[in-house]
Amino acid sequence: MNIVVLIKQVPGTSEVSIDPETKRLVREGVSAVLNPFDLYALEEGVRIRERSGGRVTAVTMGPPQAEAALREALSCGADEAILLSDRAFAGSDTWATSYALACAVKKLGAVDLVFCGKQAVDGDTAQVGPGVAAHLDWPQATYVSHCALAAEGRMQVNRMHEDGYDVVDISLPAVVTVVKDINQPRVPTLKSCLASRQADIPVWSAADVAADAALLGLKGSPTRVVKIEPPPPRGNATVVVSGNPRDCARTLIHELRKKSLV
Amino acid sequence: MRDHIRQKIYHVEALTPKQATADIAGDLEKFAEKYRTLHAAGCTICITDNPMGLLSFQGTEVIEHLGLPVDPQRLCLHLNTFHSKRDFDAILEACIGLGIEWLLLISGDGSVRLPRLSGRELGCDVPAVTSVELLKYVHREYPGRFRTGVAYNPYEPQEHELEKMRRKIGAGAEFAITQPILEKHPALDHFLEIFDLPVIVEAWMMKKLHLLSECVGYEIPEGTVHDPLESLAKLIATYPACGFYLSFLGMKTQLPEIGGLWQ
């Protein structure tokens, strides 16, 4: 099973600001970390590899410093890592980013499964995973909380939604975006951290992945952010759960989980 | 642990490098230097376990990697509830391999990045694992292999804290290490009257107190002046039957001084 995990380096703080001119996140001077949801995607990939064999390749697109996120991925169990870095990628929106990442997946070849976190915590769009699936013309399952390899070339996943989850059977290759319920990411060891810092990380340009320059960067980005403003504050609400204690507890836990409070 | 107290052996905290460090090699080197210095000074080295929920390298791994000497009587490994079962067992096995006997079993500080042991994994039916379950597990799975201690918090409501301590002792705790105190503490005095247990008093060796406030969760009045060595000397005089655990000990300025304080 050859698995690609798409990861992203994001600002390490929730106090990010937005450039009023470009309407883009200001990343300069802000510490960077691996997008928390991507750790779950990575863990799932590594667990499948441990059960079924194969390789896990972490891929990210970003400036040279995004290499740090790839080294973290290696320390968490990825076998190899690839950085897509090129001025041609600069300014890409989620669609152009998806295209570039899909080109990298194609270049890798013989990929069975692409995992992503459900969204990145900076942009919060949740669009890149589905975008990659669209560019590859592969099936996709989003917000997945459980996956199990089924018959040859198929996988069964639980796809979370507000009222529970759907059990979905998908054919491989596929793109799967995961939620935090799917697993508990492992903690890197000293040995794996030291090894990750020594690893060679190839840098691929737009030309390396045979990407059409017209579909990258600002040129390839149909998104236009016309205005950004904070959402209106949410009012407090009291919810009364009634019924037998067991059902009440189940409902309460479900509601708290939906809000990521437990 | 009574021997440690009788022989006036200090317990000194040693923090392993954080995983987020930009300079693993440099931090490992600093840790090795501190460890070797404390070892040579005859102190019991106490290695923390992801303090404040911050991801740090595991003590046993660091000792193995750096080839540091292990004196089974003068090394105490902290171990908390924030581990996967696989990692927890691996740490215990590594302790056995290294000859580490003393463990401080604590609930610990979690974070989103740290897994938490479940009662089911440890073979007990509890909603949340605490040091009591760790004690039961360690003594059940590794009978006679480890000497275990626990934390005592004089800042918590004492009725509950003392009841917890009874359960900890019932589960195999042989000694207790307090949260840091700056001076004579009435809750600790009461504790010492009740329990016939070797107690190691934690002394705060940093001049700044804001971090202590965060650690123990109570507000230390602003403007409180703290002279760590003077405070340690007073604690030694106040609690002559106790041992002493030193957090944030200054290796250059304070280590040479502490020998003379506990005679």
Side-chain angles (χ1 to χ4, degrees), chain A residues 1 49 59 81 90 137 140 165 173 195 214:
Chain A
M1 179 73 64
R49 181 206 60 203
V59 177
D137 198 20
Q140 60 175 295
Y165 62 86

Side-chain angles (χ1 to χ4, degrees), chain B residues 72-86:
Chain B
Q73 289 310 309
R74 289 190 293 119
L75 182 62
C76 180
L77 193 82
H78 297 197
L79 202 46
N80 67 32
T81 59
F82 292 94
H83 293 282
S84 67
K85 173 71 163 43
R86 186 168 70 169

Side-chain angles (χ1 to χ4, degrees), chain B residues 2 60 132 178 214:
Chain B
R2 287 198 197 282
T60 49
V132 174
T178 73
E214 279 178 40

Side-chain angles (χ1 to χ4, degrees), chain A residues 39-40 50 72 76 180 184-191 193-194 197, chain B residues 19 21-24 28 55 57 61-62 65 86-87 112-115:
Chain A
L39 280 168
Y40 297 82
E50 285 173 345
E72 188 173 348
C76 291
K180 286 184 173 181
Q184 174 63 56
R186 69 197 60 197
V187 175
T189 62
L190 174 60
K191 202 172 162 186
C193 282
L194 289 171
R197 308 234 171 167
Chain B
Q19 292 215 359
T21 178
D23 181 15
I24 294 187
L28 284 171
L55 233 59
F57 294 114
E61 253 198 311
V62 174
H65 176 76
R86 186 168 70 169
D87 288 349
V112 287
R113 191 63 189 86
L114 290 168

